[in-house]
Amino acid sequence: MTTIKKSVAVICVVVLTLLTAGSVYAAPEDSYTYSYWGDPVPSPSPYAPVTVLYGQDMGAGSLNMPQDLFVTRAGDIYIADTGNNRILVLDSNWQMKQAISEFEHDGEMDALLGPEGVYVGKDGHIYVADTQNKRVLQFTSEGKFVLEILRPESSLIRAGFEYSPTKVAVDREGQIYTVSRGSYEGIMMFDSDGVFDGFIGTNRVKFNPIDLFWKRISTKEQRDQMEMFVPLEFNNLSIDEDGFIFATTSEENSDSPVKRLNPSGVDILRSKGYFPVKGDINTLQVSSAPGSSIMIDVAADKGGMYSLLDSKRGRIFTYDKEGNLLYVYGGLGSKVGKFRTPSAFQMLGDQMLVLDKGLNRLTVLEPTEYGYAVREAVTHLYDGKVEASTKEWQRVLALNGNNDVAYIGIGKSLLKQGDNAAAMSYFKLGNHREWYSEAFKRFRKDILMENFGTIVMTIVLGVVAIVAAVKLFARRTAGHYDEVGVIRNPFYTMIHPFNGFWEMKYEKKGRVKIALLLVCLLVIFTIIKKQYSGFVVNMNNLANMNSLQELQFIALPFLLWCVANWSLTTLMDGEGKFKDIVMATGYALMPLVIILIPQTLISNVMTQGESALYYLLDGIAYAWCLALLFVGTMTVHQYSPGKTLATMLLTLVVIGIILFLSLLFFSMMQQIVNFVVSIYREISFRL
């Protein structure tokens, strides 16, 4: 009983440690990126405001809830001034040169009503999503009416569909694309004459598995009252210089809030960065606005870059063509450079224009030295100018040593130049395992070609040395089993589990200290594995790793299993004593103890494509351990296979009960301590 009490005390201490341990999440600054580990990393501001324009500054009177913005190649700016029912056209000096609000339509005067979208085609024609009039309009560059697109009549349109276009875009061939509020079928597509051609880019249905289960077992009347599973609708779109459609979805917690659609409606957006292209991550504790980013606009940029506008926190996220996050800036507020309710944004060369419907103003931002260096580095690499790109990335690192994308960019440049060893070091600094694997593959090939004879000779001599050592050990221990049996027994048990566990218990060849030694070795070897495994397979953050925490994942489960199994089997006529359970469980860990060091060594000469062997060794070792644990439990308790399986499953249940009671105990103790402290403070105050 003394042993059990000590074990329970250790469990309580460890559980208390787990309860009090925690990580602190720091809310990101205004300008930042994310590290490979998901931590926000402050960075220099990539953009700075240069001017703020109100309607009066444009010579257009006050703006009123402007909703959309478009910039032409010539530098003209189009604003959908929604609350004033007009489209403003500004020249390159930010002065109004045209306003479209009323126009002649079929011999009569017509007017815009709450237009929320504007786009200018290649031919200079202006397309307007006249939202409250439920139509899309086409004008000439002078503002003369050309075409009206009303609700289409088609078998593809569901009954009750409300046609309410909010955004519009036009490709090089004159194909018109429209986002309609409430249209979960996808983006509406019309030909140049306004004839409806169908939907494109429908989002996949998003549902809760629990809701789906209840829907399956409910009656038809009950299902009719339940919420329908429908695809997410788009809220904005634009067309990049290659003719692909960027579209955003404003649904919170969406896994893919932005898509890049080809003409067939297939999403071809690359997302090879650390995290999906979705804005902020780890957002449950971010400042006063928890939850995922809500993307409301996307702006294509040079060099394959593009930016997303988050309406929830007023931030702008810029990515390269691979989906790597380059920088984040902006934020909510009323001061210059902040936004109250951003509604749209566009690129004007290197400048960023942000339309704020809350403050009724247009903010113009220009790249800082840091932002310009990042943009030039990405653009040069996109254009194939390797040396120029490397120079700019080095400039980026001089300004911000925490920019992982810069390390990756330099690594790519060095890889193209054939400097594989240097490329490996930069990819490692940038935590990019795919490119590191490619550089290592080339580096390894060069080493093998240069030192093939030496490597083969070393391998042969190593094998001979191992075989000789094994034979020498066998000769030295021959006929002395009684003396060395306690050491050989775990090895023998691993290969011959039935005989080994029988000898361990009934022939007294097992030792508790050997079992505990195996647990200690497993802890040590696991620490070595996590510290020194090859970069390709090592997913541990070594900077924050605490080796003592491995006790939580090895020693604690070992102790819990032994205590729970002993507690259970004493009620189920088990013949094994507590020390037998400890020995059987410890000996069952032998395959893991043996495999960890060779696995660690092999991982350092593997590429990503060969890492399957690494994980296969893991799987074999764990399966072997589980089989040994099964045989050991069956042998020490003299159970049938069926009863052994049931006992092992019930042991897991008992472990859960122990953990629950431990948590309950410490919760009660915490409340008692708080109560005593409050009483003490009250008495102290009274006295």
Side-chain angles (χ1 to χ4, degrees):
M1 290 297 294
T2 303
T3 304
I4 303 303
K5 290 179 180 178
K6 290 182 178 179
S7 301
V8 172
V10 172
I11 293 173
C12 293
V13 172
V14 175
V15 171
L16 180 60
T17 303
L18 292 173
L19 287 173
T20 56
S23 60
V24 179
Y25 182 89
E29 300 293 335
D30 291 341
S31 180
Y32 57 94
T33 57
Y34 283 104
S35 71
Y36 176 82
W37 310 107
D39 300 320
V41 180
S43 71
S45 180
Y47 271 81
V50 292
T51 185
V52 174
L53 298 166
Y54 293 88
Q56 293 85 348
D57 302 319
M58 306 170 188
S62 298
L63 300 178
N64 186 4
M65 295 291 289
Q67 295 275 19
D68 202 11
L69 179 70
F70 187 84
V71 178
T72 66
R73 289 180 179 272
D76 289 337
I77 299 119
Y78 291 73
I79 297 175
D81 191 9
T82 307
N84 288 325
N85 304 314
R86 62 180 178 173
I87 301 296
L88 296 179
V89 185
L90 310 181
D91 59 22
S92 57
N93 295 317
W94 317 106
Q95 295 301 305
M96 185 185 75
K97 67 177 186 178
Q98 185 181 3
I100 303 174
S101 57
E102 295 184 345
F103 54 94
E104 186 177 343
H105 178 197
D106 293 337
E108 298 181 357
M109 293 304 296
D110 201 344
L112 301 177
L113 184 61
E116 295 185 18
V118 61
Y119 196 92
V120 180
K122 187 178 180 181
D123 56 1
H125 280 206
I126 306 167
Y127 296 81
V128 178
D130 193 12
T131 306
Q132 293 188 32
N133 280 326
K134 301 183 184 303
R135 62 185 177 179
V136 172
L137 298 171
Q138 178 184 358
F139 299 94
T140 65
S141 57
E142 292 78 21
K144 295 182 179 180
F145 172 80
V146 176
L147 180 67
E148 178 185 52
I149 303 177
L150 298 172
R151 183 186 187 278
E153 298 295 332
S154 171
S155 59
L156 299 175
I157 303 294
R158 57 183 163 84
F161 175 78
E162 291 289 336
Y163 180 62
S164 182
T166 56
K167 304 297 176 185
V168 61
V170 184
D171 63 18
R172 298 170 182 172
E173 288 71 34
Q175 196 87 5
I176 303 169
Y177 302 90
T178 299
V179 170
S180 178
R181 186 174 289 121
S183 174
Y184 53 76
E185 292 88 350
I187 299 171
M188 303 185 73
M189 186 168 53
F190 301 85
D191 65 17
S192 57
D193 296 323
V195 178
F196 180 63
D197 287 338
F199 295 95
I200 186 174
T202 306
N203 284 306
R204 292 184 178 181
V205 176
K206 182 179 180 181
F207 60 87
N208 187 316
I210 297 177
D211 294 338
L212 179 62
F213 170 76
W214 286 113
K215 207 160 196 175
R216 294 290 187 188
I217 64 175
S218 301
T219 64
K220 183 178 183 303
E221 291 75 14
Q222 291 172 328
R223 287 197 298 269
D224 291 341
Q225 297 178 2
M226 292 182 180
E227 184 178 352
M228 295 180 61
F229 298 143
V230 296
L232 303 177
E233 62 180 89
F234 293 109
N235 65 354
N236 211 332
L237 79 165
S238 65
I239 298 178
D240 64 16
E241 59 183 9
D242 296 322
F244 296 106
I245 301 173
F246 273 112
T248 54
T249 302
S250 61
E251 184 74 16
E252 190 169 358
N253 298 319
S254 173
D255 293 330
S256 54
V258 59
K259 290 185 175 182
R260 190 179 186 224
L261 306 174
N262 65 13
S264 300
V266 177
D267 183 17
I268 60 170
L269 185 75
R270 295 184 182 182
S271 184
K272 295 185 177 181
Y274 299 151
F275 307 100
V277 180
K278 57 184 297 183
D280 278 318
I281 59 172
N282 298 334
T283 52
L284 295 179
Q285 304 178 40
V286 173
S287 64
S288 60
S292 300
S293 299
I294 298 180
M295 301 306 177
I296 58 170
D297 201 0
V298 57
D301 201 352
K302 66 179 184 179
M305 294 183 289
Y306 57 93
S307 298
L308 302 175
L309 178 60
D310 173 20
S311 64
K312 172 168 281 190
R313 286 176 278 273
R315 292 173 180 153
I316 297 172
F317 298 80
T318 300
Y319 297 85
D320 66 10
K321 67 172 184 177
E322 299 293 337
N324 294 303
L325 180 62
L326 299 175
Y327 43 73
V328 184
Y329 60 99
L332 296 177
S334 57
K335 67 179 183 179
V336 176
K338 301 291 185 179
F339 320 107
R340 178 177 295 174
T341 312
S343 54
F345 71 147
Q346 281 283 298
M347 298 299 302
L348 177 58
D350 285 327
Q351 290 182 327
M352 173 64 77
L353 312 183
V354 183
L355 192 63
D356 191 339
K357 68 179 181 181
L359 295 173
N360 293 313
R361 69 187 188 186
L362 180 68
T363 302
V364 182
L365 303 104
E366 287 186 349
T368 61
E369 181 184 1
Y370 173 73
Y372 184 78
V374 173
R375 294 175 61 79
E376 288 298 296
V378 173
T379 304
H380 287 322
L381 189 62
Y382 181 83
D383 295 334
K385 301 176 182 178
V386 178
E387 293 183 1
S389 175
T390 303
K391 182 179 179 181
E392 291 297 334
W393 281 128
Q394 290 171 343
R395 182 181 166 196
V396 170
L397 288 178
L399 297 169
N400 179 20
N402 294 322
N403 192 313
D404 289 344
V405 181
Y407 291 111
I408 297 171
I410 295 176
K412 289 180 179 179
S413 300
L414 292 171
L415 191 63
K416 288 184 178 181
Q417 297 173 32
D419 193 348
N420 300 320
M424 286 168 53
S425 64
Y426 275 98
F427 287 135
K428 191 171 184 178
L429 289 170
N431 274 297
H432 203 295
R433 284 161 176 78
E434 182 179 352
W435 281 105
Y436 174 90
S437 178
E438 179 61 29
F440 176 71
K441 186 177 181 180
R442 300 182 187 184
F443 175 76
R444 186 181 64 180
K445 181 180 178 181
D446 294 340
I447 295 297
L448 288 174
M449 294 297 292
E450 294 174 4
N451 305 280
F452 182 77
T454 304
I455 293 173
V456 171
M457 182 61 67
T458 302
I459 293 174
V460 170
L461 291 176
V463 172
V464 170
I466 292 173
V467 171
V470 171
K471 288 185 176 181
L472 180 61
F473 179 78
R475 288 180 182 178
R476 291 296 183 100
T477 58
H480 302 281
Y481 187 82
D482 292 337
E483 289 79 9
V484 300
V486 293
I487 299 177
R488 290 179 57 182
N489 187 252
F491 295 92
Y492 179 77
T493 301
M494 186 176 68
I495 307 299
H496 306 90
F498 289 97
N499 292 337
F501 284 116
W502 180 272
E503 291 180 359
M504 179 200 75
K505 178 181 179 181
Y506 296 102
E507 297 183 14
K508 308 301 181 182
K509 292 178 181 176
R511 297 290 186 273
V512 173
K513 60 184 178 182
I514 298 296
L516 296 179
L517 176 62
L518 290 175
V519 175
C520 292
L521 288 175
L522 183 59
V523 171
I524 294 171
F525 291 168
T526 301
I527 293 172
I528 292 174
K529 176 184 175 181
K530 291 192 173 184
Q531 289 278 2
Y532 299 106
S533 287
F535 175 70
V536 171
V537 296
N538 195 339
M539 304 299 175
N540 301 298
N541 187 354
L542 301 181
N544 298 331
M545 199 175 106
N546 185 351
S547 297
L548 294 178
Q549 290 182 350
E550 294 306 314
L551 294 172
Q552 301 176 11
F553 307 110
I554 298 176
L556 178 61
F558 174 82
L559 182 60
L560 284 173
W561 175 270
C562 294
V563 172
N565 190 263
W566 177 83
S567 304
L568 183 66
T569 54
T570 53
L571 304 176
M572 298 178 64
D573 301 323
E575 296 184 6
K577 300 177 181 179
F578 185 77
K579 70 173 186 177
D580 297 329
I581 297 172
V582 171
M583 287 189 294
T585 306
Y587 283 21
L589 299 175
M590 194 66 186
L592 274 174
V593 174
I594 290 177
I595 201 68
L596 285 179
I597 295 300
Q599 186 186 30
T600 301
L601 295 174
I602 293 173
S603 68
N604 283 277
V605 294
M606 283 181 172
T607 63
Q608 199 168 48
E610 299 159 351
S611 61
L613 175 61
Y614 177 88
Y615 298 112
L616 177 62
L617 291 175
D618 258 344
I620 292 173
Y622 281 110
W624 201 340
C625 288
L626 185 61
L628 289 176
L629 184 61
F630 178 84
V631 176
T633 303
M634 183 170 59
T635 302
V636 298
H637 294 300
Q638 289 297 290
Y639 284 163
S640 65
K643 190 173 182 179
T644 302
L645 180 61
T647 302
M648 293 178 70
L649 294 176
L650 288 174
T651 299
L652 296 177
V653 175
V654 174
I655 290 174
I657 294 173
I658 292 174
L659 290 174
F660 172 75
L661 293 177
S662 300
L663 292 171
L664 183 62
F665 171 76
F666 284 110
S667 176
M668 293 177 61
M669 289 299 297
Q670 186 179 19
Q671 292 182 19
I672 292 173
V673 170
N674 291 337
F675 175 75
V676 172
V677 170
S678 63
I679 292 295
Y680 172 77
R681 289 177 178 175
E682 182 69 20
I683 294 175
S684 300
F685 178 76
R686 297 286 183 182
L687 295 178

